[in-house]
Amino acid sequence: MYLRAVHADATLPMLRQLIRDNPLGILTTAIRSDSYPLIQSSHIPFILDVTDEADESELGILRGHLARQNPQSKAMMDAIVAQQQSPTAPNVLDDEVMVLFTAAAHHYVTPKFYAETKPSTGKVVPTWNYAAAQAYGRAKIFFDPKADETDAFLSRQIDDLSRHAETSVMGHTGVGDRPGSWSVSDAPEPYIKLLQKNIIGIEITMERLEGKFKMSQEMPRGDREGVIRGFQSLGSEVGSEMAELVRERARYKDAWKG
């Protein structure tokens, strides 16, 4: 990820929250194989585990699952079988993997928004505002359907992911006029166990977490204010969200500079 200093002001807690708010990550692997492409990517919703939320340096662990028939799954399973496995780290891929998370709100920025620079010099060009995080680490693969470890991991994974999506994404909290959440236990257990045989689990211990909020904070104050007004003038939900994000990052930049 290209990180200009002005865009690299995100703290680890901010990046952890970005992941939780936008759990659909893009898992990318580069595994040499005679049967599958070297580079493969899959969209996978992830759960982020953090031991101490107050710890501003802890990276955390990502948990997800993929269809067993996914070529990326097959490449990872083949790689595990072919590796000389360490008894202290069984079923862990030798090479690191990467997961990309992108905030749902992103938008084209027209030069017409730049209320300070455009009228004075005209030296402005279009850009795109967005926020993203890239997580790198070692991946442990749970793929033996007969292993108790695989069953335990997948059972926990689909239960935690469903709970997070139902409550945090859908807002199904059962509080007030909000409906209650769907639970894995609402489906017949034999049906769930059958489906589990068709997926594999992935657990990524993060070794590096990078991210950026590119929200016009590199621009002069007058241009930033113009971008905020411009997004608000769109009269759309994403426009309002972008305006607030630009305003938020401007406040953070000003506070950070002291």
Side-chain angles (χ1 to χ4, degrees):
M1 175 179 284
Y2 172 49
L3 281 174
R4 290 179 58 191
V6 70
H7 297 144
D9 58 358
T11 64
L12 285 180
M14 289 177 185
L15 296 180
R16 295 195 307 234
Q17 191 58 48
L18 186 152
I19 290 172
R20 286 175 171 147
D21 291 342
N22 306 274
L24 185 65
I26 301 176
L27 170 70
T28 299
T29 57
I31 299 173
R32 296 197 176 279
S33 169
D34 293 333
S35 304
Y36 306 103
L38 170 64
I39 298 175
Q40 297 193 76
S41 295
S42 297
H43 287 77
I44 303 169
F46 283 92
I47 286 289
L48 172 61
D49 293 327
V50 174
T51 303
D52 182 2
E53 295 290 348
D55 186 345
E56 296 191 2
S57 63
E58 182 181 354
L59 298 179
I61 294 174
L62 293 169
R63 287 187 285 122
H65 64 272
L66 304 83
R68 185 175 290 271
Q69 294 303 313
N70 184 328
Q72 192 173 17
S73 298
K74 293 181 178 181
M76 290 190 292
M77 289 187 288
D78 286 354
I80 291 291
V81 172
Q83 287 174 189
Q84 292 292 330
Q85 281 294 299
S86 165
T88 59
N91 294 348
V92 175
L93 290 170
D94 285 342
D95 296 321
E96 72 175 4
V97 302
M98 188 270 281
V99 186
L100 169 65
F101 298 92
T102 305
H106 56 85
H107 210 284
Y108 170 78
V109 182
T110 172
K112 297 171 74 172
F113 285 173
Y114 297 136
E116 180 177 331
T117 305
K118 182 179 181 296
S120 61
T121 70
K123 294 180 179 180
V124 289
V125 293
T127 190
W128 204 283
N129 277 2
Y130 65 95
Q134 288 182 346
Y136 299 83
R138 302 288 301 286
K140 182 174 183 178
I141 312 301
F142 298 82
F143 65 97
D144 182 355
K146 298 179 181 179
D148 292 340
E149 183 183 41
T150 299
D151 181 70
F153 178 90
L154 291 175
S155 295
R156 178 190 176 205
Q157 165 62 19
I158 61 176
D159 188 64
D160 288 351
L161 181 60
S162 298
R163 186 182 303 109
H164 175 71
E166 287 287 322
T167 57
S168 298
V169 179
M170 297 299 299
H172 291 167
T173 60
V175 177
D177 61 352
R178 297 300 300 162
S181 62
W182 178 87
S183 172
V184 174
S185 61
D186 292 342
E189 184 176 359
Y191 173 70
I192 296 298
K193 291 299 182 183
L194 178 63
L195 292 182
Q196 275 188 200
K197 294 183 183 300
N198 293 311
I199 59 177
I200 67 168
I202 181 168
E203 180 181 77
I204 303 168
T205 300
M206 284 192 279
E207 299 172 347
R208 205 161 25 115
L209 179 58
E210 302 173 346
K212 65 194 295 184
F213 284 79
K214 182 182 175 297
M215 291 292 168
S216 300
Q217 63 265 50
E218 76 278 10
M219 303 301 292
R221 184 182 298 274
D223 286 340
R224 281 182 276 158
E225 292 174 352
V227 171
I228 292 170
R229 291 193 299 270
F231 278 135
Q232 289 175 329
S233 71
L234 296 179
S236 63
E237 184 175 340
V238 68
S240 297
E241 190 171 353
M242 290 300 298
E244 181 54 35
L245 284 169
V246 173
R247 186 181 292 112
E248 176 187 283
R249 299 316 295 182
R251 286 195 299 263
Y252 188 78
K253 176 189 175 184
D254 293 342
W256 182 56
K257 289 176 64 177

